[in-house]
Amino acid sequence: MNRHLLSAADLTHDDAVLVLDTARELAAVSGRAVKKLPTLRGRTVVNLFFEDSTRTRISFEAAAKRLSADVINFSAKGSSVSKGESLKDTALTLQAMGADAVVIRHSASGAPHRLAHSGWISAAVVNAGDGTHEHPTQALLDAYTMREHLADGAGDLAGRRVTIVGDVLHSRVARSNVLLLHTLGAHVTLVAPPTLLPVGVATWPCEVSYDLDAPLPASDALMMLRVQRERMDAAFFPSEREYARRYGLDARRAALLPEHAIVMHPGPMNRGMEITAEVADGPRSVIVEQVTNGVSIRMAVLYLLLGGAEPA
Amino acid sequence: MTSTGTTHLLTDVRPLGADPVDVRIEGATIVAIGAPGTLDADGARVLPGAGRVLLPGLVDLHTHLREPGREDAETVATGSAAAARGGFTAVHAMANTDPVADTAGVVEQVWHLGRDTGLVDVFPVGAVTVGLRGERLAELGAMADSAAAVRVFSDDGRCVSDAVLMRRALEYVKAFDGVIAQHAQEPRLTADAQMNEGALSGRLGLRGWPAVAEEAIIARDVLLAEHVGSRLHVCHVSTAGSVEIIRWAKSRGIDVTAEVTPHHLLLTEDLAASYDPVFKVNPPLRREHDVQAVREALADGTIDIVATDHAPHPVEDKECEWNVAAFGMLGLEQALAVVIETMVAPGLLDWAGVADRMAIAPARIGRRAGHGRPIAVGEPANLVLVDPQARGPVDPAASSSRSRNNPYAGRDLPAPVVATFLRGRPTVLDGSLAAPLAASRP
Ligand SMILES: [Zn+2]
């Protein structure tokens, strides 16, 4: 494994499978009455969140605590990021505090990369979502969830078909998922209106469709991405209603999926927009499981990046 | 005639790369040129040229000196020093200062600061519109008639995107032989844009700055220039498509000139993958294909000149996240080095071509009669002595600029400037300032 986890592309096939296998072992811990492992005792994990995301922060926090690490939550939202100095200043502060790992969430693409490569800090850096770039632990927990349902919780996802639908242009989840799923041998199809696909998507290791119905009968997993209503104002699509009609997942579309297929969503959902409540809460939905698996995956990532070693 | 300045004898120098000669400079003027060893060394300080190349002092049509307003990034004095060390004898100071250079008062202030420093001639560029706001014309005539005698007008940093305003500006400056230098960037297509739009921007999750946003404005502007019979200059051409449009416009006889920056001649968008904002610039670094196109265009004259777009920024505006970092990079000190590396070494330009693209043509576009002159007896001694062989890694800390946002840091490049003369007075000798900066500014 690399020293940092900045992009899903940092993971080789073997790395990715190792993270998934490790997460599966650690998941067993969560089932026990005593949920803590002593593995990272004496190590310090900092959650550095420049952008609000209670869900992701809590997931990382739970993961670190179950490994007995000391957790510091550093919420930098509202501080003057506009001037930019704060990332460096914050990094130097964390360095002085002896952080062993920094989990960073930031609205600017590349901020984790800067943190890891600017020489400001010696800690391992985990990207917990940066701008419209990547969110690698989300991709890992998605892959984990798929593997549990589609590959008996072992090996990779060779030959599985995954369809990802929605605002790919602004989605860090989509970027990381395409990279990781490709690494794990899955076939990915992205579905979106052309306005919500980035220029150059043809160079990505996946297929692209403007039509949602077509890929559904062959999909093993269907992932619906959050679409912000404000995108409508920037003319990415004409209306909420039209978006939901063409790219939303309702019961009719869900019925086009094969029997075994699962429905996923990275959350938070816009019910009625990209997914109807009926489907989100229906039997194919593994959305709640994704949240649970997130803790195991983040435990695995912290464990592997920090080597499970003794305090430095 | 010789009373004011020192007399210099440059021996064994090759004007524009031609056969070696000796050149005698008295006061501000070249007084004699002869075969090596034939000129009178009497009373002259002799500078052995050792077969190096002598060029007219370089002229930059696009420099951000930041004064007034951002003296933490650069001053007229520090920028002039960087220019002199880059081989320049004249720079055009862009108008996006604070206050904006949109009145005779501000352009005269900058012009006086340049005179006081005395390392290069500083020719202020006037803003096209009041406050660069793109709403109404600044007092272009007043700036033209001022002591600064402004001939180049630009809202650089912003595009004059309103077609009517651009048309009026093009027309209006005809009265005093001015030129509008357009920063071609369709604003709606580039809102919050961060880098060239393409496969890489999609992968990096950085908002794209599409080539079409530059090309659409250039296409519109050349048609406007044709329609009203005016002179248009296009700043920092960065795409292959822009080159095609300008080539077409010139073939139609439209009076358009264009510049390319050193960084667009050398660097590509791939550097953005580092997320290091030292590579964040506007227009953005483009693809290899575009780099090849602008080199060829500079070689065949479709692009008339090299202009630096020297854009100093303080450390804190670059040592941060890409999205919030300032646009722009230094250029004065490495401009000639990059041209040698990308144009001379591969055989795309000879030394006469370098003199044309970096001195003669920019002086002509800016209407600066005292610069970009032939190396001949009776001409003003604005000269730069160039060692084409010297090279080494670029050290940003060695810069005379107040800023350090040098995109060439650590890169092995030519280090060509040996000496620079401004009207017979050496501003740079042995690659260093001839006099400390403090002393040269009273
Ligand atoms: Zn510009």
Side-chain angles (χ1 to χ4, degrees):
Chain A
M1 291 258 296
N2 278 337
R3 220 166 65 73
H4 309 289
L5 180 59
L6 306 175
S7 160
D10 293 346
L11 298 167
T12 64
H13 177 273
D14 288 356
D15 289 341
V17 172
L18 176 64
V19 175
L20 300 183
D21 289 347
T22 306
R24 201 161 201 253
E25 283 173 41
L26 292 167
V29 177
S30 305
R32 294 202 315 229
V34 179
K35 290 185 173 178
K36 273 196 164 187
L37 285 174
T39 322
L40 296 183
R41 182 162 292 145
R43 316 297 295 271
T44 301
V45 174
V46 176
N47 285 322
L48 177 59
F49 276 56
F50 288 89
E51 188 183 69
D52 255 345
S53 176
T54 312
R55 309 159 56 97
T56 306
R57 185 181 56 72
I58 286 175
S59 181
F60 270 105
E61 187 173 351
K65 284 184 169 165
R66 285 181 195 178
L67 293 170
S68 303
D70 296 326
V71 179
I72 298 171
N73 287 314
F74 199 117
S75 174
K77 195 177 177 278
S79 64
S80 86
V81 182
S82 59
K83 187 67 180 173
E85 262 249 276
S86 62
L87 179 62
K88 182 184 180 185
D89 290 340
T90 308
L92 296 176
T93 304
L94 300 182
Q95 178 70 6
M97 284 163 47
D100 296 293
V102 176
V103 176
I104 176 176
R105 170 80 153 223
H106 203 296
S107 60
S109 299
H113 193 280
R114 285 290 279 162
L115 191 63
H117 294 295
S118 295
W120 302 329
I121 198 166
S122 58
V125 176
V126 179
N127 181 359
D130 62 329
T132 55
H133 178 223
E134 286 212 41
H135 194 353
T137 60
Q138 176 72 41
L140 282 163
L141 76 87
D142 290 337
Y144 182 96
T145 307
M146 290 179 215
R147 196 176 77 152
E148 290 301 310
H149 285 271
L150 305 172
D152 296 324
D156 59 19
L157 293 168
R160 304 305 188 284
R161 294 190 168 273
V162 181
T163 301
I164 301 175
V165 187
D167 184 359
V168 175
L169 179 63
H170 301 97
S171 175
R172 49 197 173 205
V173 176
R175 281 172 181 71
S176 288
N177 260 293
V178 168
L179 293 167
L180 182 68
L181 290 168
H182 174 71
T183 299
L184 289 170
H187 297 288
V188 180
T189 302
L190 296 174
V191 180
T195 47
L196 290 176
L197 291 165
V199 166
V201 72
T203 65
W204 293 16
C206 62
E207 281 165 53
V208 172
S209 168
Y210 304 140
D211 173 46
L212 177 52
D213 286 356
L216 291 182
S219 297
D220 299 304
L222 177 62
M223 185 185 302
M224 306 306 294
L225 300 172
R226 176 180 171 81
V227 175
Q228 293 180 343
R229 292 183 160 84
E230 310 85 77
R231 303 291 180 212
M232 195 173 73
D233 304 325
F236 286 105
F237 49 87
S239 71
E240 248 178 80
R241 201 160 287 279
E242 171 150 329
Y243 183 86
R245 235 181 354 247
R246 292 178 69 84
Y247 296 100
L249 184 62
D250 57 11
R252 178 192 70 80
R253 283 210 168 98
L256 297 175
L257 289 163
E259 197 87 19
H260 67 274
I262 56 174
V263 170
M264 310 174 73
H265 194 297
M269 285 180 278
N270 278 319
R271 290 172 183 254
M273 180 77 174
E274 69 265 7
I275 191 166
T276 63
E278 187 185 4
V279 179
D281 303 329
R284 297 171 179 284
S285 168
V286 297
I287 296 169
V288 177
E289 246 180 84
Q290 287 175 269
V291 177
T292 313
N293 294 337
V295 177
S296 307
I297 280 293
R298 283 153 186 150
M299 287 172 77
V301 166
L302 291 172
Y303 174 82
L304 292 169
L305 287 183
L306 294 180
E310 297 305 306
Chain B
M1 272 300 286
T2 59
S3 58
T4 51
T6 321
T7 298
H8 286 89
L9 184 66
L10 308 183
T11 62
D12 191 20
V13 295
R14 298 188 293 125
L16 312 189
D19 291 340
V21 294
D22 290 356
V23 175
R24 187 176 169 95
I25 303 166
E26 288 180 14
T29 310
I30 299 171
V31 295
I33 298 178
T38 62
L39 293 191
D40 181 11
D42 201 29
R45 180 175 179 185
V46 177
L47 295 175
R52 292 176 181 133
V53 174
L54 191 64
L55 300 177
L58 309 181
V59 177
D60 191 15
L61 203 65
H62 192 147
T63 316
H64 295 277
L65 292 180
R66 302 293 187 223
E67 190 176 4
R70 286 307 301 267
E71 291 82 356
D72 57 328
E74 195 80 285
T75 63
V76 171
T78 58
S80 293
R85 287 183 65 196
F88 291 88
T89 51
V91 300
H92 289 72
M94 272 298 172
N96 62 341
T97 48
D98 183 15
V100 171
D102 58 0
T103 63
V106 178
V107 294
E108 286 191 349
Q109 180 196 353
V110 172
W111 183 72
H112 281 295
L113 287 167
R115 289 246 301 195
D116 291 348
T117 303
L119 290 172
V120 293
D121 284 344
V122 174
F123 299 122
V125 173
V128 177
T129 68
V130 174
L132 309 176
R133 280 193 294 273
E135 292 164 359
R136 56 196 181 86
L137 292 182
E139 289 190 353
L140 309 179
M143 291 188 273
D145 295 341
S146 74
V150 175
R151 290 295 176 273
V152 181
F153 298 89
S154 182
D155 274 1
D156 184 61
R158 304 210 191 145
C159 180
V160 182
S161 62
D162 183 296
V164 173
L165 206 52
M166 186 61 183
R167 173 198 170 142
R168 298 290 181 239
L170 285 166
E171 289 176 304
Y172 193 79
V173 299
K174 284 200 283 189
F176 34 86
D177 198 22
V179 64
I180 304 297
Q182 175 73 294
H183 170 118
Q185 176 180 6
E186 209 292 313
R188 289 273 293 148
L189 282 171
T190 51
D192 199 29
Q194 299 292 326
M195 67 170 291
N196 180 49
E197 184 167 25
L200 186 60
S201 65
R203 188 159 71 70
L204 296 177
L206 292 173
R207 179 95 45 104
W209 198 130
V212 60
E214 174 174 309
E215 294 154 5
I217 292 292
I218 295 174
R220 182 200 72 178
D221 285 353
V222 296
L223 293 171
L224 282 174
E226 177 178 48
H227 182 60
V228 299
S230 291
R231 198 154 74 89
L232 168 72
H233 178 73
V234 184
C235 296
H236 40 54
V237 168
S238 70
T239 78
S242 298
V243 166
E244 285 306 305
I245 293 163
I246 293 163
R247 192 171 278 139
W248 171 85
K250 286 189 168 183
S251 76
R252 276 172 75 96
I254 298 171
D255 195 357
V256 58
T257 54
E259 73 190 32
V260 61
T261 68
H263 46 274
H264 287 111
L265 285 171
L266 182 64
L267 308 177
T268 65
E269 63 167 5
D270 297 343
L271 293 162
S274 68
Y275 290 105
D276 183 343
V278 78
F279 301 114
K280 179 176 174 177
V281 65
N282 192 14
L285 301 176
R286 304 287 189 184
R287 301 159 304 166
E288 183 61 34
H289 164 70
D290 299 297
V291 169
Q292 292 306 326
V294 294
R295 287 184 189 179
E296 283 160 25
L298 184 63
D300 72 19
T302 301
I303 292 177
D304 302 78
I305 65 170
V306 174
T308 65
D309 197 5
H310 177 84
H313 289 290
V315 170
E316 60 270 23
D317 287 352
K318 284 293 191 179
E319 209 170 52
C320 57
E321 301 87 331
W322 181 284
N323 285 22
V324 296
F327 287 99
M329 38 184 67
L330 299 186
L332 285 169
E333 285 159 304
Q334 272 77 42
L336 182 57
V338 170
V339 170
I340 291 172
E341 189 82 347
T342 60
M343 302 297 296
V344 179
L348 289 168
L349 272 189
D350 58 14
W351 291 109
V354 173
D356 180 70
R357 306 303 194 269
M358 297 189 77
I360 299 165
R364 185 173 61 234
I365 295 166
R367 300 295 192 250
R368 298 301 168 185
H371 288 271
R373 302 292 307 165
I375 298 174
V377 172
E379 293 289 348
N382 294 318
L383 299 166
V384 55
L385 185 60
V386 171
D387 181 351
Q389 311 304 334
R391 57 188 300 135
V394 174
D395 175 12
S399 174
S400 287
S401 169
R402 182 159 284 185
S403 291
R404 294 292 175 264
N405 53 310
N406 191 319
Y408 313 110
R411 197 180 275 261
D412 184 66
L413 280 179
V417 177
V418 177
T420 310
F421 290 84
L422 176 64
R423 283 184 291 278
R425 189 167 54 79
T427 55
V428 170
L429 287 173
D430 290 329
S432 303
L433 289 180
L437 196 50
S440 58
R441 184 173 171 185

